[in-house]
Amino acid sequence: MPRMAHTIEIAKSGRATCRSCRKPVAKGELRFGEETVNQFAEDGATSFRWHHITCAAGTMPNELKGALAAYEGEVPEREALDRAIEEAIAKLPPPFPHADKAPTGRARCQGCGEAIAKGAVRVAVARDIDRGMTVTKGAGYLHPACAAAYVEEQGGTHEELTAGLRANTRDLSEAELDALFAEV
Ligand SMILES: [Zn+2]
Ligand SMILES: [Zn+2]
């Protein structure tokens, strides 16, 4: 999928409805445009779904942050907006790969096929899940010791795995991180 070019602009009319809260976006108000590919267009044409800036801070914080970085106009209450964005990003699930502790003992390791014990540190990677008609992205879990071989089999590298784990892992203690990197 091509990288979407989200945008921010001053609403030219009051006709758009915010896709986050379903209320109208007033004319003259700053609005966030979420660029989406028209599913039924063969040429990959795109259009915008509009959001109030403050709504987008909560529902699409990463996308809004990117658009704000490129926007050169005035943004009212910018500090409060940036704070709302950072708070919303902190609540999002971390990107893959990351490590966390298994909340149950039900997941099986994508590498060795054995169960991952409840409470054990595990590595989570993006995985294509085949649902028959469609393939969706989901999480695949691995024992730390099984992770590198699996990622390399999928075309990744050991360096990408460890760099990703360092950047994306939250909520593990220093000791748990040390144990993780000793095994990965
Ligand atoms: Zn809204
Ligand atoms: Zn394993």
Side-chain angles (χ1 to χ4, degrees), residues 67-109:
L68 274 171
Y71 182 67
E72 290 174 352
E74 278 282 301
V75 180
E77 308 201 32
R78 179 64 192 264
E79 274 181 37
L81 187 66
D82 285 342
R83 243 187 342 263
I85 289 170
E86 292 310 321
E87 279 168 21
I89 289 173
K91 283 187 203 143
L92 292 175
F96 296 114
H98 64 260
D100 62 7
K101 284 191 223 166
T104 71
R106 286 199 299 269
R108 288 197 175 275
C109 174

Side-chain angles (χ1 to χ4, degrees), residues 33-90:
E34 172 194 3
E35 188 180 33
T36 52
V37 175
N38 296 342
Q39 263 187 325
F40 303 105
E42 282 173 17
D43 57 359
T46 63
S47 59
F48 290 107
R49 294 156 56 120
W50 299 103
H51 302 257
H52 295 110
I53 287 278
T54 47
C55 287
T59 57
M60 313 190 67
N62 280 310
E63 292 81 353
L64 177 62
K65 191 176 180 177
L68 274 171
Y71 182 67
E72 290 174 352
E74 278 282 301
V75 180
E77 308 201 32
R78 179 64 192 264
E79 274 181 37
L81 187 66
D82 285 342
R83 243 187 342 263
I85 289 170
E86 292 310 321
E87 279 168 21
I89 289 173

Side-chain angles (χ1 to χ4, degrees), residues 30 70 85 90 105-106 113 141 144 161 164 171:
L30 218 51
I85 289 170
R106 286 199 299 269
Y141 299 105
L161 174 65
D171 303 328

Side-chain angles (χ1 to χ4, degrees), residues 109 111-112 143 146:
C109 174
C112 68
H143 295 114
C146 300

